[in-house]
Amino acid sequence: MKARYRIYLSEKERETLLDWIKTGKRKAQHILYSHILLNSDESEGRKVPRMTDVADRYQSTARTVERVKKAFCEQGMSLFEAKERKTRSDKKLDARTEAHVIALLCQSPPNDAPRWKLQMLADRLVELEVVESISKMSISKLVKKMNLSPSKKHNT
């Protein structure tokens, strides 16, 4: 595999990575990345081993070595900073929605239907403006989570 990304570490970066490896107080993934970067460093005319050799040395794959090198070329040392976790702000199934589903299942289904169907529950929640939109699969997961069944009559 031909090297697409070339690593040139500054003296400070090199010292930082070496320090992380020596102390061992970083994530194992960061220590592995440090090893890969230090072995891939072309500073001062150093002969760089092939990606497969680096991968074998650290029980990794050539693809991982390439990914680490690419990430370092694009992000620099910020590669090692904690990534911000994404929270699901669009979650539609909250406690209020669950309560409405239970209340609906306790009522008789509309239009003289013999039982509630998932799509009917979804449509009714939208009609009552509990949610803007919701799929019948989301309703299915909710009903399963609450150990309910739309086909049975629920009395509380």
Side-chain angles (χ1 to χ4, degrees):
M1 203 178 236
K2 187 173 187 284
R4 296 182 203 169
Y5 301 98
R6 302 179 82 154
I7 305 297
Y8 297 96
L9 296 173
S10 69
E11 190 60 39
K12 183 179 179 193
E13 290 170 335
R14 195 169 188 58
E15 287 174 16
T16 302
L17 295 174
L18 283 169
D19 185 49
W20 289 349
I21 291 170
K22 286 178 188 174
T23 59
K25 293 187 177 183
R26 298 288 293 198
K27 291 181 177 179
Q29 184 180 40
H30 290 181
I31 292 173
L32 173 66
Y33 289 2
S34 298
H35 279 295
I36 290 171
L37 292 171
L38 287 168
N39 279 283
S40 301
D41 184 21
E42 296 183 37
S43 303
E44 302 166 7
R46 202 171 148 272
K47 175 83 171 117
V48 179
R50 293 188 332 228
M51 276 196 276
T52 53
D53 294 337
V54 174
D56 291 341
R57 185 175 298 145
Y58 299 106
Q59 291 81 36
S60 189
T61 63
R63 179 69 185 117
T64 299
V65 173
E66 185 178 7
R67 254 188 310 114
V68 170
K69 290 170 71 173
K70 177 184 178 186
F72 184 78
C73 287
E74 292 173 351
Q75 303 171 23
M77 290 300 277
S78 65
L79 161 71
F80 297 100
E81 293 174 4
K83 307 291 186 269
E84 188 175 316
R85 290 186 155 197
K86 295 179 182 176
T87 57
R88 291 221 27 216
S89 60
D90 63 334
K91 188 175 179 185
K92 297 177 182 176
L93 304 177
D94 56 2
R96 186 173 152 263
T97 309
E98 289 178 13
H100 273 86
V101 169
I102 291 171
L104 287 173
L105 287 173
C106 291
Q107 298 172 5
S108 298
N111 301 334
D112 298 325
R115 63 186 178 96
W116 280 99
K117 294 193 171 146
L118 297 174
Q119 190 61 54
M120 291 166 57
L121 286 168
D123 293 342
R124 187 72 178 132
L125 288 173
V126 172
E127 187 180 307
L128 292 171
E129 297 179 359
V130 175
V131 290
E132 241 178 75
S133 66
I134 193 163
S135 70
K136 68 180 184 180
M137 287 310 298
S138 296
I139 297 293
S140 173
K141 289 176 188 175
L142 177 64
V143 168
K144 183 177 180 180
K145 178 184 124 185
M146 294 188 309
N147 200 20
L148 298 173
S149 173
S151 62
K152 295 179 183 167
K153 185 75 173 165
H154 297 279
N155 294 324
T156 54

